[in-house]
Amino acid sequence: MNDVTTLANPPQPASARLRKPDWIRVKAPTSAGFAETKRLMREKSLTTVCEEAACPNIGECWTKKHATVMILGDTCTRACAFCNVKTGMPRAVDAAEPQHVAEVAVQMGLKHIVITSVDRDDLPDGGARQFVRVIEAIRAAAPATTIEILTPDFRNKADAAIDMIVAARPDVYNHNLETVPRLYPTIRPGARYYASLRLLEGVKKRDPSIFTKSGIMLGLGEQRLEVHQVMDDMRSADIDFLTMGQYLQPTPRHARVEDFVTPQAFDSFAAIARAKGFLLVASSPLTRSSYHAGDDFERLRANREAKLAAAR
């Protein structure tokens, strides 16, 4: 990781891109479980962030029949420099989508499901009502399934969006800060760092029982002390769970990788984050927001119970 100030550089030709180290390489998915998960998603006309964002863990997760469903279509109204989801004018909201998501939860026998979405700045509520409908459909069809949502920032609509989603009571509310504040103008130009922090803080203030979660990517040119400051900002917003993973350039058009952060450096960041008071930290080159989300939820719950017991 860079220790000097560097701005995110414009995309470079493939010849100028850094070669992936061995620790970031994964095998192409070929298992029967992978094929079955893909078939089910196509059958229900559902989109997954696993595919749209070119997640490196798709082979492992889909083999285990874990998938992160992306609601509100496959087209985003933003154009972030790190993201592989296509940009444009989205289609109308699919009224059948909540039921289809619930059916997938039942058919896959999911104990924990992660729901995310594209940004829908074209909608009056930013898509918040569709999150509510999906949560309600899952609760009705699979009441034992715990629900984690990964939402956009609901730009200029956050208060109303948070009110209705918190009222639906997901088990985990995730919203990623993605990077350090200095890099927002080039990496996440359509968003505002402190607005995202306030969103997560607002969730916790409305319902302290909901776990809050956020993540950042490393390797975009951030400085170590900037990462430490993001951790402090997250703790000030009472965020429970921090994820950190290596940024990977999806295509030559996207922001380039400034450096590949070593597994040892990820471990060091994790130790610092735990010392700052997060209930749970996931930090490794291949960590992504919903990677091992079900197992992590169980650890989150156990860690909270242990913390409460120690405080008595």
Side-chain angles (χ1 to χ4, degrees):
M1 175 172 299
N2 295 336
D3 288 317
V4 296
T5 301
T6 55
L7 292 176
N9 289 306
Q12 300 292 310
S15 60
R17 292 156 69 183
L18 295 178
R19 183 178 182 275
K20 288 182 183 178
D22 291 340
W23 65 74
I24 206 74
R25 296 176 183 275
V26 294
K27 294 180 179 179
T30 57
S31 71
F34 174 89
E36 173 61 17
T37 299
K38 185 172 184 177
R39 182 198 64 76
L40 184 59
M41 293 301 166
R42 295 295 83 77
E43 181 181 293
K44 299 297 181 182
S45 301
L46 294 176
T47 303
T48 69
V49 74
C50 319
E51 296 169 286
E52 299 300 318
C55 180
N57 303 315
I58 188 170
E60 176 186 347
C61 293
W62 282 28
T63 294
K64 297 176 180 178
K65 294 191 175 181
H66 297 165
T68 299
V69 178
M70 190 166 76
I71 63 173
L72 294 164
D74 62 357
T75 304
C76 188
T77 53
R78 308 268 180 97
C80 295
F82 64 87
C83 185
N84 198 44
V85 176
K86 67 183 178 183
T87 301
M89 180 52 67
R91 297 189 300 271
V93 175
D94 181 1
E97 188 174 59
Q99 186 58 38
H100 288 165
V101 175
E103 290 167 358
V104 162
V106 171
Q107 291 183 36
M108 294 178 72
L110 298 180
K111 294 181 179 179
H112 187 82
I113 188 169
V114 183
I115 309 298
T116 189
S117 80
V118 291
D119 281 286
R120 290 297 302 261
D121 297 317
D122 60 309
L123 299 175
D125 66 350
R129 286 182 181 81
Q130 190 76 340
F131 272 99
V132 172
R133 294 183 187 110
V134 169
I135 292 169
E136 291 174 345
I138 295 169
R139 294 279 189 234
T145 299
T146 51
I147 300 171
E148 178 171 333
I149 59 170
L150 170 56
T151 76
D153 61 6
F154 300 114
R155 186 172 60 195
N156 301 323
K157 307 157 187 169
D159 285 342
I162 297 169
D163 283 342
M164 68 176 76
I165 293 176
V166 167
R169 304 202 73 250
D171 297 282
V172 181
Y173 194 117
N174 186 4
H175 171 66
N176 287 328
L177 296 185
E178 306 293 8
T179 188
V180 301
R182 176 175 56 83
L183 297 179
Y184 262 56
T186 50
I187 300 302
R188 200 177 175 220
R192 299 295 178 267
Y193 177 80
Y194 289 103
S196 288
L197 272 176
R198 286 194 297 271
L199 182 152
L200 288 159
E201 185 177 42
V203 172
K204 186 63 77 173
K205 285 181 176 178
R206 285 168 172 82
D207 189 341
S209 70
I210 297 175
F211 291 104
T212 50
K213 177 177 176 181
S214 190
I216 60 171
M217 302 170 289
L218 303 184
L220 284 163
E222 65 286 335
Q223 300 176 49
R224 293 179 186 276
L225 291 181
E226 288 179 311
V227 176
H228 295 172
Q229 184 61 57
V230 170
M231 293 178 188
D232 289 336
D233 291 343
M234 287 186 182
R235 290 303 302 130
S236 294
D238 204 16
I239 293 169
D240 298 303
F241 185 4
L242 167 64
T243 62
M244 291 181 282
Q246 171 69 52
Y247 167 67
L248 297 176
Q249 184 179 1
T251 75
R253 301 189 309 275
H254 291 82
R256 74 181 185 190
V257 176
E258 292 297 325
D259 57 348
F260 285 104
V261 181
T262 67
Q264 294 76 18
F266 274 102
D267 290 344
S268 176
F269 276 124
I272 292 168
R274 284 191 288 268
K276 290 180 181 293
F278 289 96
L279 277 179
L280 193 66
V281 179
S283 177
S284 75
L286 289 174
T287 291
R288 296 296 183 267
S289 291
S290 54
Y291 190 42
H292 297 160
D295 292 339
D296 284 340
F297 175 72
E298 293 301 325
R299 281 191 283 269
L300 258 181
R301 193 155 51 183
N303 289 352
R304 174 188 278 174
E305 290 171 359
K307 183 178 180 179
L308 292 173
R312 292 191 188 110

